Each structure stands twice: as C-alpha cells, then as structure tokens.
Amino acid sequence: MPRPMFSYTKRILESVSFDTNLFCKELEKAIKILLPYEVEQLIDWLNNYITEKPELKACLIYVEKQ
C-alpha cells in the first residue's frame, strides 16, 4: 500500500533542510498528522538523514516528545 503522506513529508523535509527553523516547524507539523507507525518510520529516516546534516540535530527534540 502506498504511503503518500509519509513520502510527501520526507520530500518537504528534504526541501526545507537548508533552514533549521523551517525544518523544525515542518517536522512538528508532520508529527501531528502522521499515523503512529509512520512517525516511527520518520524517526528512523531522520536519524539517518541528520548524519549528513548535523545542524538539524536540534530538531530531534520534537520527536523525543513522542
């Protein structure tokens, strides 16, 4: 089954990753709209993604609240 919202969220986060504040805002919105299992997948994806962009590590505070 396709996961359009999860794919869309990843695409948005990748496109705004140049700005930490914007990335954090989009991440916060994504966590509110994704299903619980999608949030878990997003967290896994984030952990891999931020290894290349350590400046985004501060945004992980939004996923730690879960």
Side-chain angles (χ1 to χ4, degrees):
M1 178 177 190
R3 301 180 320 228
M5 204 58 208
F6 180 68
S7 297
Y8 176 75
T9 299
K10 286 190 338 186
R11 199 171 6 170
I12 294 297
L13 290 172
E14 288 171 344
S15 69
V16 299
S17 64
F18 65 92
D19 182 345
T20 305
N21 291 329
L22 191 54
F23 187 88
C24 289
K25 286 180 185 180
E26 290 298 329
L27 179 59
E28 190 174 17
K29 285 196 290 187
I31 289 172
K32 291 178 183 177
I33 62 170
L34 291 175
L35 297 172
Y37 75 92
E38 291 175 319
V39 171
E40 291 298 321
Q41 292 173 342
L42 183 65
I43 291 169
D44 291 340
W45 176 82
L46 277 171
N47 286 324
N48 289 326
Y49 189 71
I50 63 166
T51 58
E52 299 170 8
K53 297 182 180 283
E55 66 275 9
L56 300 175
K57 194 169 191 166
C59 297
L60 288 179
I61 191 165
Y62 295 105
V63 297
E64 291 174 355
K65 294 178 185 177
Q66 301 305 310

